[in-house]
Amino acid sequence: ACAKSIWASAGMAESLLKLDNVTAGYGDAVVLHGISLGLPEHGSLAVLGRNGVGKSTLLLTIMGYTQLRGGSIGWRGQNISRVSPNRRATNGIGWVAQEREIFPSLSVDENLTVASRPGPWNLDAVFKMFPRLAERRSNMGNQLSGGEQQMLAIARALMTNPALMLLDEPFEGLAPVLVDELTAAMKLMLSDRKIAIILVEQHTDIALELTAEAIVLERGEVAHRAPSAQLLKDTATLERLVGLRVAATA
């Protein structure tokens, strides 16, 4: 009853996801210190910061893969702090890992359907968003280029029809033309399907263009938060907290 009243007072009823003073890490190592944030239905959040500040750990903590040392994680008004990663996925949290983690010995079709759940995101919908995957649908996962594998990882997460997508550096290591293609697809995803996203990305300009809100992490804490459009113009803060901005066209 006590936990319920805490979430109610924190506005959990209005939030899709709510982190309240979350401290987490791996074993004895604490990486995140007192992180608090809220994300509404269909919201979009960019997570920025230098390497090693805890951005990926934040996504892993939301998915339940780290050791929660303090604070609470709320999902649609329920405290899910002790809920397993599998149950979080079934409850509507989709995750695209930095390593992509597609199945190399399964075809594109099989990768997409192996964990699919009913909803608007089906094979037709993801092939419309990623025409390149439609052309490769009978290819094995290990026969795809890096960019195609990234598209497949995103499409596979969408096939679970999540309410929230966690994306960990989806543009890393991709050629500019593929970055443009993926950016266009993600804009389509955000505009057409009413899905929420949390995006960790080194391409600062793209991350801020795709999202409504942004936070910057420093040493595992939220050092700055602002509307994405406002932060995009605040070059002094970006240079101070993020460092060299990596342009997609560089």
Side-chain angles (χ1 to χ4, degrees):
C2 178
K4 193 171 183 181
S5 65
I6 290 170
W7 288 119
S9 66
M12 272 304 302
E14 293 78 33
S15 293
L16 178 68
L17 177 76
K18 181 91 175 174
L19 272 62
D20 185 56
N21 203 29
V22 164
T23 296
Y26 312 94
D28 293 332
V30 176
V31 180
L32 302 177
H33 306 273
I35 300 281
S36 294
L37 61 88
L39 188 73
E41 292 272 358
H42 315 149
S44 51
L45 177 72
V47 180
L48 307 175
R50 299 175 192 272
N51 288 334
V53 296
K55 302 186 300 295
S56 295
T57 300
L58 176 60
L59 298 191
L60 289 165
T61 299
I62 294 169
M63 279 307 300
Y65 287 116
T66 64
Q67 185 176 351
L68 190 66
R69 291 309 218 23
S72 297
I73 300 172
W75 175 252
R76 289 182 159 159
Q78 302 297 313
N79 189 338
I80 62 164
S81 302
R82 305 299 168 198
V83 169
S84 70
N86 283 347
R87 278 186 58 204
R88 296 187 198 198
T90 350
N91 287 337
I93 304 179
W95 181 44
V96 180
Q98 200 171 354
E99 298 80 16
R100 297 168 188 157
E101 295 182 355
I102 62 163
F103 300 110
S105 58
L106 296 184
S107 70
V108 167
D109 269 3
E110 290 165 339
N111 264 281
L112 292 172
T113 53
V114 67
S116 63
R117 287 199 292 274
W121 287 105
N122 52 29
L123 283 175
D124 287 343
V126 297
F127 284 150
K128 183 180 179 184
M129 190 166 94
F130 294 116
R132 195 186 286 251
L133 289 183
E135 298 166 6
R136 306 277 196 277
R137 61 186 303 169
S138 58
N139 287 51
M140 298 297 114
N142 58 9
Q143 296 175 318
L144 304 179
S145 70
E148 289 162 353
Q149 288 184 11
Q150 187 61 277
M151 291 173 193
L152 180 57
I154 294 171
R156 186 182 60 182
L158 286 172
M159 288 285 286
T160 68
N161 279 284
L164 168 65
M165 283 268 283
L166 308 175
L167 295 136
D168 194 354
E169 303 207 10
F171 306 118
E172 185 183 27
L174 299 185
V177 64
L178 286 173
V179 171
D180 291 344
E181 203 171 320
L182 264 179
T183 304
M186 287 176 63
K187 284 180 181 174
L188 179 68
M189 175 181 84
L190 288 167
S191 64
D192 283 7
R193 300 290 175 173
K194 301 296 184 188
I195 193 171
I197 68 163
I198 297 180
L199 173 62
V200 167
E201 185 49 57
Q202 293 290 342
H203 289 99
T204 305
D205 293 356
I206 295 178
L208 294 174
E209 184 188 341
L210 284 170
T211 54
E213 302 290 330
I215 60 171
V216 184
L217 297 185
E218 193 172 39
R219 298 187 190 92
E221 299 178 358
V222 177
H224 188 79
R225 60 183 84 211
S228 297
Q230 178 182 315
L231 185 56
L232 188 57
K233 298 173 185 172
D234 188 356
T235 51
T237 298
L238 284 173
E239 286 167 11
R240 178 169 54 88
L241 293 174
V242 182
L244 178 66
R245 288 194 290 163
V246 183
T249 52

